[in-house]
């Protein structure tokens, strides 16, 4: 597995975020590479409040958080269907585990991943009682970043995972959607897999948490957002065609519904 991703896909106004907080991605222990995209660590010490925004990936996250003098806590963050907004102020620290799409189910095999979609739940509501109570303090407490990463590894070792061939299949399919821009319809992916569209939808509900159509559309928006962040000049009609939209107006509608402003307005902010 290569090192953690270096792109900024999903982060709204990434340069502004990075100017305000310390943001790092770290690799998990090798045993967890098949399941985890990366760990992500954020620390801040702000003189004035700042609001961060993220267009969520089709990934479940386990997040350990400490805001100011409040007690540390941990939660499972299911896939967010909408723009995620977080107000940051004073001092704080967050350490997160971003699972690969499809990679969370082996750690919580008793329920479909769609049960967590759109929800943020205490760890004790998802994992076996009594196994995770001390983890937030163990993860967030150490001043040394490497110790925090080791604590995240220890947390995952405590939970499993249980081998799951269907989860592995779902992860492979989502990877294909993310990297292959020719996959523009659920029926195309189903045909490649030799299954019906309905079977594909059931697999994604159980192991990813959202529909395959949602995944295809979300990766289109991530690509458009990153282009708007990084490119000096954008051919929006050409990008719409590249991403599989019927026309530029369709891309504009999806982008505006997700981010809150049209892509042309966002690009000149």
């Amino acid at each position: 597995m290569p090192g953690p991703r270096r792109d900024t896909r999903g982060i709204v106004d990434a340069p502004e975020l990075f100017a305000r907080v310390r943001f790092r991605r770290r690799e998990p222990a090798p045993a967890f590479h098949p399941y985890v995209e990366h760990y992500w660590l954020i620390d801040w010490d702000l003189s004035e409040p700042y609001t961060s925004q993220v267009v969520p990936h089709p990934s479940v996250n386990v997040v350990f958080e400490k805001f100011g003098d409040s007690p540390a806590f941990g939660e499972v963050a299911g896939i967010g269907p909408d723009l995620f907004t977080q107000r940051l102020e004073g001092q704080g620290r967050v350490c997160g585990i971003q699972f690969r799409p499809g990679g969370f189910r082996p750690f919580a095999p008793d329920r479909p991943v769609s049960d967590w979609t759109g929800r943020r739940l205490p760890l004790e509501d998802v994992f076996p009682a009594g196994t995770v109570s001390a983890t937030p303090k163990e993860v967030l407490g150490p001043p040394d970043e490497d110790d925090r990463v080791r604590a995240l590894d220890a947390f995952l070792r405590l939970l499993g995972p249980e081998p799951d061939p269907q989860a592995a299949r779902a992860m492979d399919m989502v990877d294909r959607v993310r990297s292959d821009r020719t996959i523009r319809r659920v029926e195309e992916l189903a045909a490649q897999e030799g299954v019906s569209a309905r079977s594909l939808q059931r697999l994604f509900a159980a192991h990813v948490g959202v529909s395959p159509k949602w995944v295809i559309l979300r990766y289109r928006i991530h690509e458009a957002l990153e282009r708007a962040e990084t490119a000096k000049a954008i051919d929006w009609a050409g990008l719409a065609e590249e991403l599989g939209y019927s026309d530029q107006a369709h891309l504009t509608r999806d982008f505006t519904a997700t981010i809150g402003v049209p892509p042309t307005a966002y690009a000149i902010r």
Side-chain angles (χ1 to χ4, degrees):
M1 177 179 175
R5 291 194 345 258
R6 295 185 179 276
D7 63 73
T8 61
R9 293 189 180 190
I11 301 174
V12 177
D13 201 353
E16 180 69 12
L17 173 69
F18 297 159
R20 303 265 189 161
V21 308
R22 291 187 62 232
F23 176 92
R24 295 88 72 206
R25 293 186 178 115
R26 296 288 301 269
E27 283 192 79
F32 306 121
H33 285 181
Y35 310 98
V36 174
E37 289 268 8
H38 53 254
Y39 299 151
W40 50 277
L41 289 74
I42 300 177
D43 299 272
W44 65 89
D45 187 353
L46 299 171
S47 57
E48 59 184 32
Y50 168 70
T51 299
S52 66
Q53 294 183 310
V54 176
V55 180
H57 288 254
S59 299
V60 175
N61 284 258
V62 169
V63 188
F64 300 95
E65 306 165 71
K66 190 174 191 317
F67 298 95
D69 296 328
S70 300
F73 66 98
E75 60 183 359
V76 172
I79 297 172
D82 303 312
L83 186 68
F84 174 73
T85 299
Q86 177 67 64
R87 178 183 169 91
L88 306 176
E89 57 186 330
Q91 294 182 326
R93 171 173 292 169
V94 176
C95 296
I97 303 169
Q98 182 173 317
F99 291 85
R100 292 178 60 192
F104 181 73
R105 179 72 184 271
F107 294 87
D110 294 337
R111 293 172 65 178
V113 180
S114 58
D115 278 5
W116 319 122
T117 298
R119 304 172 70 191
R120 299 178 71 91
L121 298 166
L123 298 180
E124 293 80 3
D125 288 2
V126 179
F127 301 115
T131 62
V132 295
S133 58
T135 301
K137 187 177 296 185
E138 293 167 352
V139 170
L140 296 165
D144 184 82
E145 182 177 311
D146 290 342
D147 288 340
R148 281 176 252 155
V149 170
R150 282 189 282 268
L152 292 171
D153 286 337
F155 168 76
L156 291 181
R157 288 192 189 95
L158 187 68
L159 296 175
E162 293 189 11
D164 185 339
Q166 289 296 89
R169 187 182 188 190
M171 285 188 276
D172 287 343
M173 282 192 279
V174 176
D175 279 345
R176 201 181 318 150
V177 171
R178 178 163 49 184
S179 61
D180 185 351
R181 291 298 177 210
T182 67
I183 300 174
R184 299 175 175 180
R185 296 174 56 84
V186 174
E187 292 77 12
E188 294 168 353
L189 181 60
Q192 290 183 12
E193 286 294 311
V195 299
S196 69
R198 186 176 296 274
S199 295
L200 196 64
Q201 290 163 352
R202 286 196 295 266
L203 176 70
F204 270 59
H207 294 278
V208 180
V210 289
S211 70
K213 179 180 179 180
W214 192 95
V215 173
I216 293 169
L217 293 174
R218 180 49 52 94
Y219 281 140
R220 287 178 180 178
I221 293 298
H222 279 177
E223 178 71 20
L225 179 62
E226 186 165 54
R227 296 283 187 93
E229 289 271 9
T230 59
K232 293 183 178 179
I234 304 170
D235 174 5
W236 290 106
L239 179 60
E241 181 179 4
E242 179 185 336
L243 296 178
Y245 284 98
S246 57
D247 53 34
Q248 181 179 343
H250 192 182
L251 167 60
T252 298
R253 285 195 299 272
D254 275 3
F255 192 101
T256 304
T258 304
I259 308 299
V261 295
T264 50
Y266 182 86
I268 62 175
R269 293 199 317 179

